[in-house]
Amino acid sequence: MNKQNSHLFKIIFAGILVYGNSLNNLFVWDDIFVVITNDFIKGTGLLRELFLKPLFYFADPGYLYYRPLQGLSNVLDYSLWGINPLGFHITNVLLHIATATVIYFLLRTLFGDHELSFFTSLLFVVHPINSSVVNYVTSRADILVALFTASSLALFLSAHKNHTLYVVSLLCCICALLSKESAILIPVLLIFVNEMHLKLNNKKTGFHSNIVRSWYFAFLITCLAYLFVRTHILALKANLLPQDTIAFLTMAYTSLKMVFYYIGLIFFPVDLHMLRAIGISQMTLGRSISCILILIALALASLNLYRRNKIIFIAAGLFFICIAPHFSIAFRNPEYYCQQKAVMEEHWLYTAALGIIIPIFYIIKKYGRHSGTLSYRIIFSALILYFSTVTIMANTHWKNNYTLFTHTLRYVNYSATVYRNLGWIYINRNDNRKALEMYGKALALKQSDSQKKILYKDTAYAYFLNGESDKAIDLCRSALKLDFNYAEAHATLGLIYSKNDLSSAIEEWKIALDKDRFNTTAFNKLLALGASDGLLSQYLIERYKEALDQNKGFENYKAYSALGMVYLSGGRYPEALLFLEKARMINPYNVEINNALATLYAYINEYDLAIKFFRIALKLNPFHKQAYLNLSALYTHLGIDKEARRFLKKADHLNMYY
């Protein structure tokens, strides 16, 4: 085995060894929306929509992350594994290892140093700072953008031997842009790395070479075209908190603090957790002067590095260019902005960490010149062992939602997101007291009205489950004072009223549908009542026929599905079949549509078709409780008691939120 193959084998083996215990982890947090309830990934029939819609379309269409390649990778995972977290975690680990191997080739091409390339890539593959990205399926975008960015750079540096590689490099750039928005700075990174590569090799050609110059512009034009398509054709414009209240020096000073914290985390990766934040430092005259002096010092240090040590200079440039896109986002999160905090996520370091890992190796190797090769190899091996151990331990925090958020709570007492998620977890564990405790702590935090209304609604629901209807009603009304158009608050208020005042409940559910015609709670409650109330059923039919007249395209599957369910509940089976089939033609991967079709076929005694569609529904979403209950009822009707009990047991023990 030659040196290169030996290096690659060790990198791959280390990645598998370190992340082997992550493969049994479940889906957590936004994985539920990106994987479990995401219809786009459950077949190839909706690939066009996957490339036209944002990542969180089925959870919140206003959450404008445009990452179609991440969705495409999930399509592949689903085709191989279904909704099995094991397969998705295997893919994340393999992609992480692939990224480390591409980094190996990139660094070897850039620096011409096999040892630096190997040890840096090995450190990268086992470093604990990357554990959040590898363990969190939703963070796959960070791996993909790193993989394609490193590939683009490596190919570009090698393209002087084969100009075709410029085209492949550009294609990798496009793939990076379609993986995550931070790839927008690839042209800056590419120009910086290529120019430094030319300097390292004492080549006189570079930016002034006509061929290289033309490809620089090709990358710039590609990124501008991406921005144009995103904002003008797909209409995916970021809806973020304005920054006009934050002075530039305030942002600069806080960002500098973040840089030092980030560097510290890479050198000393302890107490790793999600939702990390840092206080926004309001500027005083002293801090303003300090900020300016630090920036001047950094500029002078960079100039000195450029002259004395171009390897460390390149590493520093990699770090700052890769981390730069995230500084703006850090000040735009309303949850933390209200508390004068900036977001400081560890997964933003995935690519940028490389710029600090290179100097770590360089420092150890320089020490080895004085202490001997064996000494520095022992130090490096000890560092690899330490980082690997910390990573293996960090993987256990991602086992499920409960372990993730209870671990995060040990370090984060300023995030309503942590408390809200724990509240929902406790509700699903039937521990309403603990849920109310979590919601109470969330409400005690300073936050925007848009966040507060959601917390009021969630807390109201917890009080409702706890039998405290008066408190629940007061909280719903508080939410509606902040935003009367908040459909979820009307729907929850209807739920509370339904115990003693059905007419008021119906009125609230109708208002909820006025504000959001596809509000799930309001629709399902009115649908159930409409089965015995012709006027209510007709109200729903008119509402969704009106929706069909107003909307065109993919969105119509929702209206067709709603109409089909209304007709089904009213026993009008031919009309139900017509509209449900129309809905399924548009979106064949929606669990509700397939569950409704299965129920319809059961009603008309087409039992084989009913079982078929129930099983399709459960393949699309193995956490769909109603499908299990319906299938259990069907098997009971058919006298197949063993199967009926099996599916009833699954329904009773089902919980995707643990």
Coordinates of all heavy atoms in Angstrom, one line a residue, residues 547-608:
A547 N -61.1 27.8 -2.8 CA -59.7 27.7 -2.8 C -59.2 27.2 -4.1 O -58.1 27.7 -4.6 CB -59.2 26.8 -1.7
L548 N -59.9 26.3 -4.7 CA -59.4 25.8 -6.1 C -59.5 26.9 -7.1 O -58.7 26.9 -8.0 CB -60.3 24.6 -6.5 CG -60.0 23.3 -5.8 CD1 -61.1 22.2 -6.2 CD2 -58.6 22.8 -6.1
D549 N -60.5 27.7 -7.0 CA -60.7 28.8 -8.0 C -59.6 29.9 -7.8 O -59.2 30.5 -8.8 CB -62.0 29.5 -7.8 CG -63.2 28.5 -8.2 OD1 -62.9 27.6 -9.0 OD2 -64.3 28.7 -7.7
Q550 N -59.1 30.0 -6.6 CA -58.1 31.1 -6.3 C -56.7 30.6 -6.5 O -55.8 31.5 -6.9 CB -58.3 31.5 -4.8 CG -59.6 32.2 -4.6 CD -59.7 32.6 -3.1 OE1 -58.9 32.2 -2.3 NE2 -60.8 33.3 -2.8
N551 N -56.4 29.4 -6.4 CA -55.0 28.9 -6.5 C -54.9 27.9 -7.7 O -55.8 27.2 -8.1 CB -54.6 28.1 -5.2 CG -54.6 29.0 -4.0 OD1 -54.2 30.2 -4.1 ND2 -55.0 28.5 -2.9
K552 N -53.7 27.9 -8.2 CA -53.4 27.0 -9.3 C -52.0 26.3 -9.0 O -51.2 26.8 -8.2 CB -53.3 27.7 -10.7 CG -54.5 28.4 -11.1 CD -55.7 27.5 -11.3 CE -57.0 28.2 -11.7 NZ -58.1 27.3 -11.8
G553 N -51.8 25.2 -9.6 CA -50.5 24.5 -9.5 C -50.4 23.6 -8.3 O -51.5 23.0 -7.9
F554 N -49.2 23.3 -7.8 CA -49.0 22.3 -6.8 C -49.8 22.5 -5.6 O -50.3 21.5 -5.0 CB -47.5 22.3 -6.4 CG -47.1 21.3 -5.4 CD1 -47.0 19.9 -5.8 CD2 -46.9 21.6 -4.1 CE1 -46.7 19.0 -4.9 CE2 -46.6 20.6 -3.2 CZ -46.5 19.3 -3.5
E555 N -50.0 23.8 -5.1 CA -50.8 24.1 -3.9 C -52.2 23.4 -3.9 O -52.8 23.2 -2.9 CB -50.9 25.6 -3.8 CG -49.7 26.3 -3.3 CD -49.5 26.2 -1.8 OE1 -50.5 26.0 -1.1 OE2 -48.4 26.3 -1.3
N556 N -52.7 23.2 -5.1 CA -54.1 22.7 -5.2 C -54.3 21.3 -4.6 O -55.4 20.9 -4.3 CB -54.6 22.7 -6.7 CG -55.2 24.0 -7.0 OD1 -55.5 24.8 -6.2 ND2 -55.5 24.1 -8.3
Y557 N -53.2 20.5 -4.4 CA -53.4 19.2 -3.8 C -54.1 19.3 -2.5 O -54.8 18.4 -2.0 CB -52.1 18.5 -3.7 CG -51.3 18.7 -2.5 CD1 -51.5 17.9 -1.3 CD2 -50.3 19.7 -2.4 CE1 -50.8 18.2 -0.2 CE2 -49.6 19.9 -1.3 CZ -49.8 19.2 -0.2 OH -49.1 19.4 1.0
K558 N -53.8 20.4 -1.7 CA -54.4 20.6 -0.4 C -55.9 20.7 -0.5 O -56.6 20.2 0.3 CB -53.8 21.8 0.3 CG -52.3 21.7 0.6 CD -51.7 23.0 1.2 CE -50.3 22.9 1.4 NZ -49.7 24.2 2.0
A559 N -56.3 21.6 -1.4 CA -57.8 21.8 -1.6 C -58.5 20.5 -2.1 O -59.6 20.2 -1.6 CB -58.0 23.0 -2.5
Y560 N -57.9 19.8 -3.1 CA -58.5 18.6 -3.5 C -58.6 17.6 -2.4 O -59.6 16.9 -2.2 CB -57.7 18.0 -4.7 CG -57.9 18.7 -6.0 CD1 -56.8 19.1 -6.8 CD2 -59.1 18.8 -6.6 CE1 -57.0 19.7 -8.0 CE2 -59.3 19.4 -7.8 CZ -58.2 19.9 -8.5 OH -58.4 20.5 -9.7
S561 N -57.5 17.5 -1.6 CA -57.5 16.5 -0.5 C -58.6 16.9 0.5 O -59.3 16.0 1.0 CB -56.1 16.6 0.2 OG -56.1 15.8 1.3
A562 N -58.7 18.2 0.9 CA -59.7 18.6 1.8 C -61.1 18.3 1.3 O -61.9 17.7 2.1 CB -59.6 20.1 2.1
L563 N -61.4 18.5 0.1 CA -62.7 18.2 -0.5 C -63.0 16.7 -0.4 O -64.1 16.3 -0.1 CB -62.8 18.7 -1.9 CG -63.0 20.2 -2.1 CD1 -62.8 20.7 -3.5 CD2 -64.4 20.6 -1.7
G564 N -61.9 15.9 -0.8 CA -62.1 14.5 -0.8 C -62.5 14.0 0.6 O -63.3 13.1 0.8
M565 N -61.8 14.6 1.6 CA -62.1 14.1 3.0 C -63.4 14.6 3.5 O -64.1 13.9 4.2 CB -61.0 14.7 3.9 CG -59.6 14.1 3.7 SD -58.4 14.8 4.8 CE -56.9 14.1 4.1
V566 N -63.9 15.8 3.1 CA -65.2 16.2 3.4 C -66.3 15.3 2.8 O -67.2 14.9 3.5 CB -65.5 17.7 3.0 CG1 -66.9 18.1 3.3 CG2 -64.5 18.6 3.7
Y567 N -66.1 15.0 1.6 CA -67.1 14.1 0.9 C -67.0 12.7 1.5 O -68.1 12.0 1.7 CB -66.8 14.0 -0.6 CG -67.3 15.2 -1.4 CD1 -66.4 15.9 -2.2 CD2 -68.6 15.6 -1.3 CE1 -66.9 17.0 -2.9 CE2 -69.1 16.7 -2.0 CZ -68.2 17.4 -2.8 OH -68.6 18.5 -3.5
L568 N -65.8 12.2 1.9 CA -65.7 10.9 2.5 C -66.4 10.9 3.9 O -67.1 9.9 4.2 CB -64.2 10.6 2.7 CG -63.8 9.4 3.5 CD1 -64.3 8.1 2.8 CD2 -62.3 9.3 3.7
S569 N -66.3 11.9 4.7 CA -66.9 12.0 6.0 C -68.4 12.0 5.9 O -69.1 11.6 6.8 CB -66.4 13.2 6.8 OG -66.9 14.4 6.3
G570 N -68.9 12.6 4.7 CA -70.4 12.6 4.5 C -70.9 11.4 3.8 O -72.1 11.4 3.5
G571 N -70.1 10.4 3.5 CA -70.5 9.2 2.9 C -70.8 9.3 1.4 O -71.4 8.5 0.8
R572 N -70.2 10.4 0.8 CA -70.4 10.6 -0.7 C -69.1 10.1 -1.4 O -68.2 10.8 -1.7 CB -70.6 12.1 -0.9 CG -71.9 12.6 -0.3 CD -72.0 14.1 -0.3 NE -72.1 14.7 -1.6 CZ -72.3 16.0 -1.8 NH1 -72.4 16.8 -0.8 NH2 -72.3 16.5 -3.1
Y573 N -69.1 8.8 -1.5 CA -67.9 8.1 -1.9 C -67.4 8.4 -3.3 O -66.2 8.5 -3.5 CB -68.0 6.6 -1.6 CG -68.3 6.3 -0.2 CD1 -69.2 5.3 0.2 CD2 -67.6 6.9 0.8 CE1 -69.5 5.0 1.5 CE2 -67.9 6.7 2.2 CZ -68.8 5.7 2.5 OH -69.1 5.4 3.8
P574 N -68.3 8.4 -4.3 CA -67.8 8.7 -5.7 C -67.1 10.1 -5.8 O -66.0 10.2 -6.4 CB -69.1 8.7 -6.5 CG -70.0 7.8 -5.8 CD -69.7 8.1 -4.3
E575 N -67.7 11.1 -5.1 CA -67.1 12.5 -5.1 C -65.8 12.4 -4.4 O -64.8 13.0 -4.8 CB -68.0 13.5 -4.5 CG -69.3 13.8 -5.4 CD -70.5 13.0 -4.8 OE1 -70.3 11.9 -4.3 OE2 -71.6 13.6 -4.8
A576 N -65.8 11.7 -3.2 CA -64.6 11.6 -2.4 C -63.4 11.0 -3.2 O -62.3 11.5 -3.2 CB -64.8 10.8 -1.1
L577 N -63.7 9.9 -3.9 CA -62.7 9.2 -4.7 C -62.2 10.1 -5.8 O -61.0 10.2 -6.1 CB -63.3 7.9 -5.3 CG -62.3 7.1 -6.1 CD1 -61.1 6.6 -5.3 CD2 -63.0 5.9 -6.8
L578 N -63.1 10.9 -6.4 CA -62.7 11.8 -7.5 C -61.6 12.8 -7.0 O -60.6 13.0 -7.6 CB -63.9 12.5 -8.1 CG -63.6 13.6 -9.1 CD1 -63.0 13.0 -10.4 CD2 -64.9 14.4 -9.4
F579 N -62.0 13.5 -5.9 CA -61.1 14.5 -5.4 C -59.8 14.0 -4.8 O -58.7 14.6 -4.9 CB -61.8 15.4 -4.5 CG -62.8 16.4 -5.1 CD1 -64.2 16.2 -5.1 CD2 -62.3 17.5 -5.8 CE1 -65.0 17.1 -5.8 CE2 -63.1 18.4 -6.5 CZ -64.5 18.2 -6.4
L580 N -59.9 12.9 -4.1 CA -58.7 12.3 -3.5 C -57.7 11.8 -4.6 O -56.5 12.0 -4.4 CB -59.1 11.1 -2.6 CG -59.7 11.6 -1.2 CD1 -60.2 10.3 -0.5 CD2 -58.8 12.4 -0.4
E581 N -58.2 11.3 -5.7 CA -57.4 10.8 -6.8 C -56.7 12.1 -7.4 O -55.6 12.0 -7.8 CB -58.2 10.0 -7.8 CG -58.5 8.6 -7.3 CD -57.2 7.7 -7.2 OE1 -56.1 8.2 -7.6 OE2 -57.3 6.6 -6.7
K582 N -57.5 13.1 -7.6 CA -56.9 14.4 -8.1 C -55.8 14.9 -7.2 O -54.7 15.3 -7.7 CB -58.0 15.5 -8.3 CG -58.9 15.2 -9.5 CD -59.8 16.4 -9.6 CE -60.7 16.2 -10.9 NZ -61.6 17.4 -11.1
A583 N -56.0 14.8 -5.9 CA -55.0 15.3 -5.0 C -53.7 14.4 -5.1 O -52.6 14.9 -5.1 CB -55.5 15.2 -3.5
R584 N -54.0 13.1 -5.2 CA -52.8 12.1 -5.3 C -52.1 12.2 -6.6 O -50.9 12.0 -6.6 CB -53.3 10.7 -5.1 CG -52.2 9.7 -4.8 CD -52.8 8.4 -4.3 NE -51.7 7.5 -3.9 CZ -51.0 6.7 -4.7 NH1 -51.3 6.6 -6.0 NH2 -50.0 5.9 -4.2
M585 N -52.7 12.6 -7.6 CA -52.0 12.9 -8.9 C -51.0 14.0 -8.8 O -49.9 14.0 -9.4 CB -53.0 13.2 -10.0 CG -53.8 11.9 -10.5 SD -54.9 12.4 -11.9 CE -53.8 12.9 -13.1
I586 N -51.4 15.0 -8.0 CA -50.5 16.2 -7.8 C -49.4 15.8 -6.8 O -48.2 16.1 -7.0 CB -51.3 17.4 -7.3 CG1 -52.3 17.8 -8.4 CG2 -50.3 18.6 -7.0 CD1 -53.2 18.9 -7.9
N587 N -49.8 15.2 -5.7 CA -48.8 14.8 -4.6 C -49.1 13.4 -4.2 O -49.8 13.2 -3.3 CB -49.0 15.8 -3.5 CG -48.0 15.5 -2.4 OD1 -47.1 14.6 -2.5 ND2 -48.0 16.3 -1.3
P588 N -48.4 12.4 -4.8 CA -48.7 11.0 -4.5 C -48.0 10.6 -3.2 O -48.3 9.5 -2.7 CB -48.0 10.3 -5.7 CG -46.9 11.2 -6.2 CD -47.5 12.6 -5.9
Y589 N -47.2 11.5 -2.5 CA -46.5 11.1 -1.4 C -47.0 11.7 -0.1 O -46.4 11.6 1.0 CB -45.0 11.5 -1.5 CG -44.4 11.1 -2.8 CD1 -43.9 12.0 -3.7 CD2 -44.4 9.8 -3.2 CE1 -43.4 11.7 -4.9 CE2 -43.9 9.4 -4.5 CZ -43.4 10.3 -5.3 OH -42.9 9.9 -6.5
N590 N -48.2 12.2 -0.1 CA -48.8 12.8 1.1 C -49.5 11.7 1.9 O -50.4 11.0 1.4 CB -49.8 13.9 0.7 CG -50.4 14.6 1.9 OD1 -51.5 14.3 2.4 ND2 -49.7 15.6 2.5
V591 N -49.1 11.6 3.2 CA -49.6 10.6 4.0 C -51.1 10.7 4.3 O -51.9 9.7 4.3 CB -48.8 10.5 5.4 CG1 -49.0 11.8 6.2 CG2 -49.2 9.3 6.2
E592 N -51.6 11.9 4.4 CA -53.0 12.1 4.7 C -53.9 11.7 3.5 O -55.0 11.1 3.7 CB -53.3 13.6 5.0 CG -52.5 14.2 6.2 CD -52.9 13.5 7.5 OE1 -54.0 12.9 7.6 OE2 -52.2 13.7 8.5
I593 N -53.5 12.0 2.3 CA -54.2 11.6 1.1 C -54.3 10.1 1.0 O -55.4 9.5 0.8 CB -53.6 12.2 -0.1 CG1 -53.7 13.7 -0.1 CG2 -54.3 11.6 -1.4 CD1 -52.9 14.4 -1.2
N594 N -53.2 9.4 1.2 CA -53.2 8.0 1.1 C -53.9 7.3 2.2 O -54.6 6.3 2.0 CB -51.7 7.5 1.1 CG -51.0 7.7 -0.2 OD1 -51.2 6.9 -1.2 ND2 -50.2 8.8 -0.3
N595 N -53.9 7.9 3.4 CA -54.7 7.4 4.5 C -56.2 7.5 4.3 O -57.0 6.6 4.5 CB -54.3 8.1 5.8 CG -55.1 7.6 7.0 OD1 -55.0 6.4 7.4 ND2 -55.9 8.5 7.6
A596 N -56.6 8.7 3.7 CA -58.0 8.9 3.4 C -58.4 7.9 2.3 O -59.6 7.4 2.3 CB -58.2 10.3 2.9
L597 N -57.6 7.7 1.2 CA -58.0 6.7 0.2 C -58.1 5.3 0.8 O -59.1 4.6 0.4 CB -56.9 6.7 -0.9 CG -57.0 7.8 -2.0 CD1 -55.8 7.9 -2.8 CD2 -58.3 7.5 -2.9
A598 N -57.3 5.0 1.7 CA -57.4 3.6 2.3 C -58.7 3.5 3.1 O -59.4 2.5 3.0 CB -56.2 3.4 3.3
T599 N -59.0 4.6 3.8 CA -60.3 4.6 4.6 C -61.5 4.5 3.6 O -62.4 3.7 3.9 CB -60.4 5.9 5.4 OG1 -59.2 6.0 6.3 CG2 -61.6 5.9 6.3
L600 N -61.4 5.2 2.5 CA -62.5 5.1 1.5 C -62.7 3.7 1.0 O -63.8 3.2 0.9 CB -62.2 6.1 0.4 CG -63.0 6.0 -0.9 CD1 -64.5 6.3 -0.5 CD2 -62.5 7.0 -1.9
Y601 N -61.6 3.1 0.6 CA -61.7 1.7 0.1 C -62.2 0.7 1.1 O -62.9 -0.2 0.8 CB -60.3 1.3 -0.5 CG -60.0 1.9 -1.8 CD1 -58.8 2.7 -2.0 CD2 -60.8 1.7 -2.9 CE1 -58.5 3.2 -3.2 CE2 -60.5 2.3 -4.1 CZ -59.4 3.1 -4.3 OH -59.1 3.6 -5.5
A602 N -61.9 1.0 2.4 CA -62.4 0.1 3.5 C -63.9 0.3 3.6 O -64.6 -0.7 3.7 CB -61.7 0.5 4.8
Y603 N -64.4 1.5 3.4 CA -65.8 1.8 3.5 C -66.6 1.1 2.3 O -67.7 0.7 2.5 CB -66.1 3.3 3.5 CG -65.8 4.0 4.8 CD1 -65.5 5.3 4.8 CD2 -66.0 3.3 6.0 CE1 -65.3 6.0 6.0 CE2 -65.7 4.0 7.2 CZ -65.4 5.3 7.2 OH -65.1 6.0 8.4
I604 N -66.0 1.0 1.2 CA -66.7 0.4 0.0 C -66.3 -1.1 -0.2 O -66.5 -1.6 -1.2 CB -66.4 1.2 -1.3 CG1 -65.0 1.2 -1.6 CG2 -67.0 2.6 -1.1 CD1 -64.7 1.9 -3.0
N605 N -65.7 -1.6 0.9 CA -65.4 -3.1 1.0 C -64.3 -3.5 0.0 O -64.2 -4.7 -0.4 CB -66.7 -3.9 0.7 CG -67.7 -3.6 1.8 OD1 -67.4 -3.3 2.9 ND2 -69.0 -3.6 1.4
E606 N -63.5 -2.6 -0.5 CA -62.3 -3.0 -1.3 C -61.1 -3.1 -0.3 O -60.2 -2.3 -0.3 CB -62.1 -1.9 -2.3 CG -63.1 -1.7 -3.4 CD -63.0 -2.7 -4.5 OE1 -62.1 -3.5 -4.5 OE2 -63.9 -2.7 -5.3
Y607 N -61.2 -4.2 0.4 CA -60.2 -4.4 1.5 C -58.8 -4.5 1.1 O -57.9 -4.0 1.8 CB -60.6 -5.6 2.4 CG -62.0 -5.4 2.9 CD1 -63.0 -6.4 2.8 CD2 -62.4 -4.3 3.7 CE1 -64.3 -6.3 3.3 CE2 -63.6 -4.2 4.2 CZ -64.6 -5.2 4.0 OH -65.8 -5.0 4.5
D608 N -58.5 -5.2 0.0 CA -57.1 -5.3 -0.5 C -56.5 -3.9 -0.8 O -55.4 -3.6 -0.5 CB -57.1 -6.2 -1.7 CG -57.3 -7.7 -1.4 OD1 -57.2 -8.0 -0.2 OD2 -57.6 -8.5 -2.3

